[in-house]
Amino acid sequence: MTEAEPSNNSTVAKPRLVICIGDIHGHITKLQNLWSNLETQFDPQHFNAATIIFLGDYCDRGPDTKKVLDFLIDLPSRYPNQKHVFLSGNHDFAFAAFVGVLPEPQNGVSFKEGWKEYEESEDREGWYKGDGYENMHLQGRMWAGHIKVRFDTIKGTEFKGSIYDAGPTFASYGVPHGSSDLLKAVPDDHKKFLADMVWVHEEDDVCIEDEEGIRHYKLIAAHAGLEEGKNVGEQLRSLKAKETHVPKIQALSGRKTVWDIPKELTEKPIIVVSGHHGKLHIDGLRLIIDEGGGFENKPVAAIALPSMKLVRDTDDLTK
């Protein structure tokens, strides 16, 4: 069957369930409630064989990063027939940078070279200068820093320790914000999880159901998205190689430059799914699933394919 060709043959096997889960940001209760709602919403046979793509940003803002990582790490043993994909978000990338599990730059330069582009922000953002900072990726230093301004005018909230709101993550491991003691406090299985996160994921034969039947697509998932105006193949190669010499990874951290599907992919067509943007945005095959943005009063959402059904932690499925 060719890509995006509709199929309405009733004898065709039921399409595989693919669930994409938005940013969790340290909210274990929201994650537990969302997972329970997903289990309730879908037939057990299909749910237990589903592909679950977590779109990144597991840490910061909420109080329970440690418990969130415990939950995610346990999923493969609890649901051995599911496929689990754990994308890195920009917050998780910075957490990984601080605890020293990012791969070294491949081009022979040090992480320190990446500081120069953003050094005018060092004082305001109070970059980390404690043990081990000398060869730390820029985002790790920003993550563990102490930002001097109290109020985030963009989000309308107070910063929690750093520009990344990393204070609650440190607290979840029982150490003060910005303390190098976090390196000892984070268990080895958490460090392995952070090291193993992927920066991009490609999934073949993902289905969407519409009024004409079932259509088959390729799906690309990246926390923020793919850049417009840059060769997609080269972007995918760089992301799969985890090239860390770049001080800011646009596919994990970008905003306007990664909002839309690159024109190169609109001719395929290909689903591009992300979290990151603090919005729920569904426009054709561009799916942005981050309704909560880490805010206490907003839900964590997931989208299920092929139905395109949205499920939230706040849904009351007992009615």
Side-chain angles (χ1 to χ4, degrees), residues 263-277:
K263 186 177 180 181
E264 180 183 340
L265 295 183
T266 62
E267 300 161 1
K268 303 292 185 187
I270 291 177
I271 303 165
V272 178
V273 61
S274 303
H276 180 62
H277 294 276

Side-chain angles (χ1 to χ4, degrees), residues 119-136:
E119 61 187 2
E120 63 183 29
S121 300
E122 180 174 2
D123 182 64
R124 174 185 172 272
E125 295 173 356
W127 295 356
Y128 174 79
K129 288 185 178 179
D131 292 347
Y133 90 95
E134 294 87 353
N135 189 33
M136 184 178 289

Side-chain angles (χ1 to χ4, degrees), residues 44-168:
Q45 181 180 355
H46 292 104
F47 181 74
N48 289 332
T51 294
I52 314 289
I53 302 173
F54 290 88
L55 298 172
D57 276 3
Y58 314 113
C59 63
D60 301 343
R61 297 190 179 140
D64 295 309
T65 290
K66 184 177 186 293
K67 291 180 181 179
V68 166
L69 264 60
D70 283 335
F71 183 99
L72 299 176
I73 290 166
D74 286 346
L75 283 178
S77 60
R78 291 173 56 202
Y79 299 84
N81 294 322
Q82 287 182 344
K83 176 181 178 180
H84 303 101
V85 177
F86 301 108
L87 285 174
S88 175
N90 56 317
H91 286 254
D92 315 308
F93 177 96
F95 184 4
F98 185 76
V99 298
V101 297
L102 289 183
E104 291 287 329
Q106 298 175 350
N107 59 356
V109 303
S110 69
F111 287 134
K112 192 172 183 177
E113 293 295 312
W115 304 350
K116 297 176 182 177
E117 185 176 345
Y118 296 93
E119 61 187 2
E120 63 183 29
S121 300
E122 180 174 2
D123 182 64
R124 174 185 172 272
E125 295 173 356
W127 295 356
Y128 174 79
K129 288 185 178 179
D131 292 347
Y133 90 95
E134 294 87 353
N135 189 33
M136 184 178 289
H137 191 283
L138 169 67
Q139 301 303 324
R141 294 193 64 200
M142 292 169 60
W143 184 76
H146 287 81
I147 191 163
K148 291 188 175 180
V149 296
R150 293 285 302 276
F151 197 74
D152 184 340
T153 56
I154 296 175
K155 295 186 177 67
T157 59
E158 286 193 356
F159 285 110
K160 297 179 180 180
S162 71
I163 195 169
Y164 272 102
D165 295 324

Side-chain angles (χ1 to χ4, degrees), residues 15-57:
R16 173 175 51 123
L17 179 63
V18 177
I19 299 172
C20 301
I21 296 178
D23 301 27
I24 299 162
H25 277 301
H27 290 289
I28 185 60
T29 302
K30 292 176 185 285
L31 174 57
Q32 291 168 333
N33 290 343
L34 175 63
W35 192 265
S36 177
N37 284 345
L38 289 168
E39 282 194 294
T40 302
Q41 186 69 53
F42 299 105
D43 174 81
Q45 181 180 355
H46 292 104
F47 181 74
N48 289 332
T51 294
I52 314 289
I53 302 173
F54 290 88
L55 298 172
D57 276 3

